Amino acid sequence: MCKDCFYHAFEEEIHHTIVTGNLFTRGEVVAVGASGGKDSTVLAYVMKLLNERHDYGIKLVLLSVDEGITGYRDDSLETVKRNQQQYDLPLKIVSYEELYGWSMDAIVKQVGLKNNCTFCGVFRRQALDRGAMLLKVDKIITGHNADDIAETVIMNVLRGDIARLRRCTAITTGTDGALPRCKPFKYTYEKEIVMYAYFKKLDYFSTECIYSPNAYRGHARTYIKDLEAIRPSAIIDIIHSGESLSFKKEVKMPVQGTCKSCGYISSNPVCKACVLLEGLNKGLPRLGIGKPSRERRKLAKMEEEATINGSANESTVLKSCNKSHGSCDCKKTNKPLDRRKPNAEDFEF
Ligand code: SF4
Ligand code: ZN
């Protein structure tokens, strides 16, 4: 296949996925989750092109999350800012520091390099939703490709995570409350995206995160690559298998509600981000990871001691700065997330 035919086939396959999946409705504002990496850069480029070519009638905006990773995200955000100019699309950046009072650099200092991606993943999901809600967009699109989805299917099978297994192959999620998210690259292979970005000379950032252990996904990736060597259609087969799974009626599924602390969608009384944030703010970063009972006992003990010292609740001591809550200016407060909302005018475009 020549270069031009490859471009055409690549773009029209994505158009086919968009049309058959009914991803957009005329008049919608759609945020492209933009990290500066190859997937989201190609997504922004192709979406702009297809929107014009096929007249979807949607308005595209770029939405980025700054996790606060020096030497990685600051550089990749420079790429997104150049993309904003190149593609002439509005851009909004929301940061962990602004939303949670913690950058990933600060989190890694406290939790080390073992569970950092748990914090990062949970915070990013919320940050993207919060940014999108403030931008008043109708949906978010992300650059998750076929390889990513196949890996997620395998990871969820290995973890026995039925709830995630059930929704991880859906092309649109979040229609039942949170903002809908779509994956126009659901059937697009990673190698096609790399080739497209390379031949089109797109401006993207290709360095790996400096805090990237993510061993579990790495094992799933290696496993799928080995399978592909024997059976080239392995990735698409895994996705189709995921789509065709049916689940016993007796299997209990989490019931969606809202977090009583920040109001974000959650299947528990307090959402994962608030639990993780509480752990960070109280110097007990393992509070929201694995079995929480030991950390909960520690927390109860700390609060008991604070009560004895006459400084209960509001003045729980923050291990990170050794000052009482409210008596320092290190911003590591545990206010509910919705009190951290940036001003609406920040989001005008
Ligand atoms: Fe965040 Fe981990 Fe990804 Fe780095 S590798 S951006 S820490 S989730
Ligand atoms: Zn919450």
Side-chain angles (χ1 to χ4, degrees):
M1 192 188 281
C2 73
K3 220 197 274 185
D4 287 337
C5 284
F6 165 67
Y7 293 154
H8 187 75
F10 180 89
E11 291 154 7
E12 290 310 304
E13 272 176 24
I14 295 160
H15 171 61
H16 178 75
T17 305
I18 289 170
V19 172
T20 49
N22 286 319
L23 297 198
F24 309 117
T25 307
R26 181 168 285 278
E28 279 181 338
V29 182
V30 177
V32 182
S35 68
K38 63 176 183 343
D39 299 309
S40 62
T41 303
V42 173
L43 182 65
Y45 177 87
V46 170
M47 281 307 305
K48 183 176 163 73
L49 184 143
L50 293 177
N51 190 29
E52 286 164 8
R53 182 186 293 166
H54 294 288
D55 190 24
Y56 296 156
I58 57 173
K59 177 170 180 161
L60 292 165
V61 298
L62 299 176
L63 174 61
S64 294
V65 177
D66 180 1
E67 296 93 344
I69 302 176
T70 313
Y72 168 66
R73 187 55 82 215
D74 42 1
D75 292 342
S76 72
L77 285 175
E78 288 308 310
T79 312
V80 179
K81 287 176 196 163
R82 289 198 300 278
N83 291 159
Q84 172 193 16
Q85 303 294 322
Q86 291 153 355
Y87 307 155
D88 190 24
L89 295 173
L91 164 68
K92 179 66 203 167
I93 301 174
V94 288
S95 74
Y96 283 7
E97 180 79 50
E98 155 192 30
L99 291 171
Y100 310 113
W102 287 82
S103 67
M104 272 311 291
D105 286 338
I107 292 172
V108 168
K109 260 192 204 143
Q110 187 174 130
V111 308
L113 280 171
K114 200 158 169 236
N115 295 304
N116 55 305
C117 292
T118 303
F119 286 85
C120 195
V122 170
F123 287 169
R124 187 186 304 109
R125 185 169 182 84
Q126 265 207 16
L128 211 53
D129 276 348
R130 284 177 185 279
M133 282 173 193
L134 287 161
L135 279 168
K136 296 198 175 14
V137 306
D138 298 292
K139 56 187 59 153
I140 303 170
I141 51 172
T142 59
H144 290 101
N145 59 46
D147 301 49
D148 298 327
I149 296 168
E151 286 161 17
T152 308
V153 171
I154 296 295
M155 284 161 67
N156 288 333
V157 168
L158 295 176
R159 284 182 177 135
D161 191 332
I162 307 297
R164 286 206 172 92
L165 190 55
R166 198 175 230 186
R167 61 175 187 256
C168 71
T169 53
I171 192 157
T172 301
T173 52
T175 44
D176 54 345
L179 213 55
R181 283 185 184 221
C182 311
K183 304 177 195 113
F185 287 170
K186 180 182 171 188
Y187 299 111
T188 311
Y189 287 109
E190 186 178 40
K191 47 183 172 269
E192 294 172 325
I193 295 171
V194 174
M195 239 162 63
Y196 189 86
Y198 176 79
F199 286 119
K200 283 271 182 183
K201 298 190 173 49
L202 298 187
D203 183 3
Y204 67 92
F205 183 79
S206 54
T207 307
E208 272 233 343
C209 172
I210 53 168
Y211 302 140
S212 163
N214 220 339
Y216 200 52
R217 183 170 286 274
H219 290 312
R221 176 165 291 224
T222 310
Y223 170 67
I224 292 171
K225 288 284 164 223
D226 290 347
L227 280 181
E228 248 193 323
I230 310 163
R231 186 180 170 87
S233 60
I235 287 179
I236 217 72
D237 292 344
I238 292 170
I239 296 177
H240 286 154
S241 303
E243 289 171 334
S244 313
L245 284 174
S246 66
F247 300 86
K248 284 185 191 167
K249 284 206 185 83
E250 312 82 89
V251 175
K252 271 196 179 168
M253 287 295 157
V255 181
Q256 293 286 24
T258 49
C259 169
K260 65 181 184 192
S261 176
C262 73
Y264 187 75
I265 190 159
S266 171
S267 50
N268 289 308
V270 178
C271 76
K272 186 87 173 163
C274 282
V275 175
L276 291 173
L277 203 53
E278 187 191 7
L280 285 171
N281 289 337
K282 291 185 172 164
L284 299 169
R286 294 194 58 77
L287 200 62
I289 297 167
K291 289 190 181 146
S293 49
R294 222 175 86 196
E295 299 298 304
R296 281 274 165 217
R297 276 201 296 277
K298 257 198 224 171
L299 178 60
K301 197 166 169 239
M302 277 170 65
E303 285 177 345
E304 197 183 313
E305 281 167 10
T307 312
I308 292 164
N309 296 335
S311 55
N313 299 328
E314 272 299 290
S315 51
T316 302
V317 173
L318 297 171
K319 189 181 169 193
S320 48
C321 67
N322 288 326
K323 288 186 186 171
S324 301
H325 181 136
S327 68
C328 70
D329 57 2
C330 70
K331 293 196 221 155
K332 291 179 172 56
T333 57
N334 56 353
K335 290 176 198 160
L337 288 173
D338 55 358
R339 284 196 237 156
R340 294 180 195 282
K341 276 183 185 171
N343 297 326
E345 56 267 28
D346 292 345
F347 292 86
E348 281 175 10
F349 52 84

